[in-house]
Amino acid sequence: MANDPIHQFQIARLVPIDIGGVDFSFTNSSLFMVATVAVASAFLYYTTRGRGLVPSRMQSVSELSYEFIANMLRDSTGSAGMRFFPLVFSLFMFVLVANLLGMFPYFFTVTSHIIVTFALAMLVIGTVVGYGIYKNGLGWFRVFVPSGVPGVILPFVVVIELISFLSRPVSLSVRLFANMLAGHITLKVFAGFVVSLGTLGALGIGGAILPLIMTVALTALEFLVAFLQAYVFAILTCMYLNDAVHTHH
Amino acid sequence: MFVTPAMAQEEHPATEEALPSDHGQPSVEGTVVPTQDHGTEGPFPPMNPEFFASQILWLAITFGIFYLVLKRVILPRIGGIIENRRDRIALDLEAAERMKTDADEAQAAYSQELAEARARSQKIAGDARDSARADAEAERARIEGDLDARLETAQARIGEIKTRTLADVGQIAEDVTQAVLSQVAGIQANQDEVSRAVQAVRA
């Protein structure tokens, strides 16, 4: 399937596992989840091994990402939200490393599957709802009732708030999934043009330069998107977590 | 294969797209349809519910482990490093501040001592100058006195010699007169007469 842009998203069973009639096979997707976790953990672990007072270059990368997420979380939720720091940092690193690993040719992009991003989004929303109710009791549902709204339009506002809240996991997951999917398909299509035109003789090879340039530019763009989507995922997580910590907004 | 009705809608465009490229030009592309891979003819792979359970399970396992590793090992470590550095910088700044105060104090003490030393050296120099001047004065006075004394002695000796010489002059005049008288005039003059005559002439 050299030229099928969808082929890269195929899942293949590496170790078939069947539990109670449900397919829990270890697939290439699972493999790259393991790889993502292994690469991210190993990087963070080994770069901070020296515990240098003056950080080495790689150690400061780990420290920068730590402080980047810590500041992001503190800015949007205050010090009360810092209990969620491990969660936000894990989400950011997982998404970032999964996106970056997906940039390697022939590698599988974990975050290009809707169920993965949706599961991560549900983890965030579940944490928001769960912690919100645990901390504030049923009073947490006041988050859907903004203060200072006239009684007449209050029901509409509540409905709108409810819809906007329910659309959060959808938008959170679809944004990441669609970006990764579309980026990889575009890259593959343009790279495919290079090959197709290359088979058409001298003129084709000359013409293949354009999609080649496009592929190089898109690769750079995809690296940006890989980081940007991890950043967006993390900052939206921070903003949603703010609802769990502070009922009034 | 497990396909939900919702996914079945996705199936048609996907298969229609896939089929011409798979079978339409196999000689050009040289592609082989993977027979054991069920994805090609199935629903759009990124939304294929066939692997939803597997992906959720493995995501839960891997992400759970990742979360625990980060929470238990890595984040405390990085946090510790940063905290440690912040403490160290605060301590160093404090030490630097203290050293600066010490240096300022030392500087003040130094300049005070310098001023004192300068005053002392000026006093010593003044004393030395004064004593040297007094010595020179004394020496000069002594030498002048000495010189004066010698001058007086010399003066006295000159006067003495002069009177003695003058006395000799009278004798010489008498002798010359006597000699002249005897040699020239042939007169043997009396000693007393000559002496009287000479004294009369000289007076």
Side-chain angles (χ1 to χ4, degrees), chain A residues 1 6 9-11 13 22-26 29-30 33 37 40-41 44-45 48-49 51-53 55 59 63 66-67 86-87 89-91 94 112-115 119 123 177 181, chain B residues 22 29 31-32 34 37-40 44-47 50-59 62-63 65-67 69-71 73-75 77-79 81-82 84-86 88:
Chain A
M1 301 300 307
I6 305 299
F9 304 111
Q10 294 288 3
I11 288 181
R13 288 187 187 82
V22 187
D23 186 5
F24 285 126
S25 303
F26 188 84
S29 172
S30 318
M33 287 177 192
V37 168
S41 305
L44 291 170
Y45 187 85
T48 56
R49 202 169 201 194
R51 293 164 200 259
L53 202 60
Q59 187 186 325
E63 286 178 14
Y66 179 99
E67 295 204 304
L87 175 68
F89 190 74
S90 325
L91 281 170
F94 187 86
S112 67
H113 279 237
I114 183 75
I115 188 66
L123 175 65
F177 149 75
L181 181 74
Chain B
D22 286 343
E29 301 290 334
T31 53
V32 179
D37 248 3
H38 24 248
T40 327
F44 190 50
M47 293 180 172
E50 187 186 353
F51 293 101
F52 277 8
S54 153
Q55 278 175 304
I56 289 174
L57 174 76
W58 286 103
L59 179 68
T62 52
F63 189 78
I65 291 171
F66 187 54
Y67 177 79
V69 167
L70 283 186
K71 192 180 178 182
V73 183
I74 291 170
L75 292 180
R77 179 192 276 188
I78 301 181
I81 292 172
I82 292 171
N84 196 16
R85 178 175 311 134
R86 199 169 290 150
R88 177 66 190 274

Side-chain angles (χ1 to χ4, degrees), chain B residues 161-179:
Chain B
I161 290 168
K162 198 173 165 188
T163 46
R164 204 175 334 129
T165 314
L166 283 179
D168 287 351
V169 167
Q171 186 66 47
I172 290 165
E174 283 169 27
D175 289 349
V176 169
T177 311
Q178 214 162 15

Side-chain angles (χ1 to χ4, degrees), chain A:
Chain A
M1 301 300 307
N3 234 353
D4 179 8
I6 305 299
H7 176 72
Q8 58 181 320
F9 304 111
Q10 294 288 3
I11 288 181
R13 288 187 187 82
L14 301 178
V15 183
I17 300 169
D18 194 292
I19 301 170
V22 187
D23 186 5
F24 285 126
S25 303
F26 188 84
T27 61
N28 54 350
S29 172
S30 318
L31 177 67
F32 277 94
M33 287 177 192
V34 173
T36 300
V37 168
V39 167
S41 305
F43 179 82
L44 291 170
Y45 187 85
Y46 283 101
T47 53
T48 56
R49 202 169 201 194
R51 293 164 200 259
L53 202 60
V54 178
S56 62
R57 200 172 292 190
M58 286 295 121
Q59 187 186 325
S60 56
V61 172
S62 295
E63 286 178 14
L64 277 177
S65 46
Y66 179 99
E67 295 204 304
F68 178 62
I69 299 298
N71 290 337
M72 183 195 289
L73 187 57
R74 198 177 292 114
D75 286 349
S76 42
T77 65
S79 55
M82 287 312 280
R83 63 167 63 239
F84 296 114
F85 177 62
L87 175 68
V88 180
F89 190 74
S90 325
L91 281 170
F92 174 74
M93 287 309 288
F94 187 86
V95 173
L96 177 66
V97 175
N99 290 354
L100 289 178
L101 278 182
M103 288 307 294
F104 285 93
Y106 297 105
F107 276 28
F108 182 85
T109 314
V110 175
T111 45
S112 67
H113 279 237
I114 183 75
I115 188 66
V116 173
T117 61
F118 188 71
L120 292 176
M122 282 314 288
L123 175 65
V124 172
I125 300 300
T127 308
V128 170
V129 176
Y131 183 77
I133 291 176
Y134 162 75
K135 195 73 192 295
N136 305 299
L138 291 178
W140 177 76
F141 286 100
R142 276 201 307 267
V143 84
F144 299 117
V145 188
S147 51
V149 175
V152 187
I153 58 164
L154 193 61
F156 298 103
V157 174
V158 168
V159 167
I160 290 169
E161 288 278 332
L162 210 59
I163 291 171
S164 100
F165 187 84
L166 290 177
S167 67
R168 280 175 182 184
V170 177
S171 72
L172 196 57
S173 54
V174 168
R175 181 181 300 111
L176 175 58
F177 149 75
N179 267 286
M180 298 321 291
L181 181 74
H184 281 73
I185 291 177
T186 318
L187 206 53
K188 184 80 186 215
V189 166
F190 275 96
F193 283 162
V194 179
V195 180
S196 311
L197 284 170
T199 58
L200 297 178
L203 194 69
I205 290 173
I209 290 173
L210 281 176
L212 181 64
I213 291 170
M214 197 67 187
T215 307
V216 172
L218 276 174
T219 306
L221 180 72
E222 280 309 298
F223 274 107
L224 176 70
V225 168
F227 172 78
L228 206 64
Q229 288 306 318
Y231 169 73
V232 167
F233 200 94
I235 200 158
L236 286 176
T237 302
C238 290
M239 292 167 84
Y240 297 162
L241 283 171
N242 188 36
D243 278 348
V245 182
H246 305 110
T247 322
H248 297 288
H249 61 98

